[in-house]
Amino acid sequence: MPSELLREVLIRIEESEDKWPSRKNVVACAGVCRGWREIMKEVVKTPQVSGRITFPISVKQPGPRDTLLQCFIKRNHSSQTYHLYLSLSQALADDGKFLLAARRCRRPTCTDYIVSLNTDDMSKGSKTYIGKLRSNFLGTKFVVYDALPPHAGNRMEKSRSTRLVGTKQVSARIPPGNYPVAHISYELNVLGARRGPRRMHCIMDQIPASSIKPGGVAPTQIDLPTGSADYFPLFRSKSSKFEKSVSSPSDDPTEGSLVLRNKAPRWHEQLQCWCLNFHGRVTVASVKNFQLVASPENGQRGPEHEKVILQFGKVGKDVFTMDYRYPISAFQAFAICLSSFDTKIACE
């Protein structure tokens, strides 16, 4: 088949199969051969542009700019696991498309949440391990670690767990390790008592504050590491790649990182409770519910600081909605929401 005709056919398939589960045909086309794969990688746009999650790498890319990408999390108390799904309908808890899984590991001095692309293997040695969330003993401070640097030149934080990462997980050019991408902190609630809304403060280390402004950009990974490529054959490559047009925060030492804070709830006199407008996406009152917005730089507030970047809330006993948008990714949003599940001795 002539390459021009093949490209036209693949473009039509990508446009017609715009929702899961039918979108699996787009992934299947990309797995036929190298030629088809290269065409599909050009045709399929990132979530930022298309508002769709197609390939596994999509969970490491920023969400859409104009809308919230709707997902939900299912918690399993007995196994201490959490599963993230992409919502396939307007229902608050449908079957969903599986995206990520996490397993809670309690340590003597901290708690780790291991995040994986595979629901059956959530270990640091797995080829599908992509990062983790670590808390302090009190559950008030957390660090989100990426298994790979979000951009070239990012420094790895050495730890005892670094050597546990599978040797096939990354290419020889990029050493496996813990790359901090976000710091999350919880303060005493606004009432200074046990019952009341929490205060959250998130520093997105690798995302510049200017990313929320018109024309702003955030680091965007465009390929998975070699080890994950063995699990997802679609992404075989010699090295992990990133968009060269995107600059990292370190390129401009005068620019600060994006800071997110929780949107303050309002007291409802009739209901006698603290309320936030989740636009129908949250139905159960919980101290875990939150909305995150960008904190203004130097006290200068603009319309971009009113947009909800991440919202999380309870809709059932063990079901929670998670909606996010640019400039954070599904992996970053999932890690932030996992911090809300952890017990906070000093905050509640």
Side-chain angles (χ1 to χ4, degrees):
M1 182 184 297
S3 58
E4 295 81 2
L5 179 59
L6 174 61
R7 184 180 181 85
E8 183 63 27
V9 170
L10 294 180
I11 289 176
R12 292 191 178 187
I13 293 176
E14 197 280 332
E15 292 177 347
S16 61
E17 311 291 358
D18 60 340
K19 295 181 179 179
W20 288 94
S22 62
R23 197 153 180 79
K24 65 183 180 182
N25 297 326
V26 177
V27 179
C29 289
V32 172
C33 64
R34 182 183 298 273
W36 286 43
R37 179 165 60 250
E38 293 304 317
I39 294 176
M40 294 309 295
K41 287 172 69 175
E42 295 177 7
V43 170
V44 177
K45 304 303 181 183
T46 63
Q48 172 189 347
V49 178
S50 65
R52 303 169 185 161
I53 289 182
T54 305
F55 302 133
I57 187 59
S58 300
V59 300
K60 299 293 285 293
Q61 298 173 334
R65 285 184 178 269
D66 300 326
T67 60
L68 288 167
L69 201 55
Q70 296 183 345
C71 308
F72 63 92
I73 298 172
K74 288 186 177 181
R75 175 180 59 182
N76 188 317
H77 276 289
S78 60
S79 62
Q80 293 288 285
T81 56
Y82 306 82
H83 295 82
L84 175 66
Y85 298 87
L86 176 69
S87 297
L88 302 183
S89 68
Q90 293 300 317
L92 294 179
D94 51 25
D95 291 336
K97 168 70 176 70
F98 171 76
L99 299 178
L100 291 170
R103 178 171 57 89
R104 185 176 186 265
C105 303
R106 182 66 183 174
R107 315 291 186 190
T109 59
C110 64
T111 300
D112 283 349
Y113 291 81
I114 309 301
V115 183
S116 173
L117 291 164
N118 185 0
T119 184
D120 297 322
D121 189 356
M122 290 179 278
S123 63
K124 292 179 182 177
S126 170
K127 296 177 182 179
T128 55
Y129 165 75
I130 63 170
K132 70 178 181 181
L133 172 74
R134 169 165 288 184
S135 76
N136 64 356
F137 176 74
L138 295 177
T140 56
K141 296 184 183 298
F142 298 79
V143 182
V144 180
Y145 294 99
D146 199 326
L148 288 175
H151 58 78
N154 190 236
R155 294 185 178 182
M156 176 182 66
E157 181 173 302
K158 295 182 180 179
S159 72
R160 185 173 58 182
S161 63
T162 298
R163 66 174 181 269
L164 298 177
V165 181
T167 55
K168 291 184 179 181
Q169 181 189 350
V170 295
S171 67
R173 296 183 182 181
I174 301 179
N178 297 319
Y179 297 87
V181 295
H183 286 75
I184 309 164
S185 62
Y186 288 81
E187 302 174 12
L188 288 173
N189 61 54
V190 295
L191 298 180
R194 183 173 179 82
R195 297 296 180 183
R198 295 169 175 172
R199 287 182 182 176
M200 290 180 65
H201 190 260
C202 304
I203 301 176
M204 310 305 297
D205 299 336
Q206 311 304 328
I207 302 178
S210 61
S211 61
I212 63 171
K213 299 178 181 178
V217 293
T220 304
Q221 189 175 340
I222 60 173
D223 210 350
L224 282 174
T226 304
S228 296
D230 294 337
Y231 185 77
F232 297 101
L234 173 62
F235 294 105
R236 293 191 184 278
S237 62
K238 294 183 178 179
S239 63
S240 182
K241 301 178 182 178
F242 303 88
E243 288 188 354
K244 298 184 181 299
S245 61
V246 177
S247 59
S248 67
S250 59
D251 294 337
D252 184 2
T254 62
E255 183 176 17
S257 299
L258 176 66
V259 177
L260 304 178
R261 61 171 179 79
N262 65 302
K263 195 172 183 180
R266 296 182 179 180
W267 179 256
H268 197 291
E269 289 293 342
Q270 293 181 342
L271 299 178
Q272 289 294 296
C273 65
W274 295 95
C275 296
L276 280 171
N277 186 4
F278 288 93
H279 301 283
R281 290 286 292 165
V282 175
T283 59
V284 180
S286 172
V287 71
K288 296 179 176 63
N289 301 349
F290 66 80
Q291 290 180 324
L292 293 184
V293 296
S295 182
E297 300 175 82
N298 303 320
Q300 299 179 356
R301 179 178 297 276
E304 63 272 12
H305 298 104
E306 299 299 326
K307 287 186 177 180
V308 173
I309 294 176
L310 171 62
Q311 68 177 19
F312 171 79
K314 193 172 185 178
V315 294
K317 182 180 179 181
D318 290 303
V319 182
F320 303 78
T321 55
M322 185 199 88
D323 305 335
Y324 74 100
R325 63 156 31 105
Y326 191 90
I328 66 174
S329 65
F331 164 67
Q332 293 166 337
F334 186 39
I336 294 173
C337 292
L338 288 174
S339 72
S340 186
F341 286 111
D342 203 60
T343 302
K344 290 153 185 58
I345 299 174
C347 296
E348 300 176 359

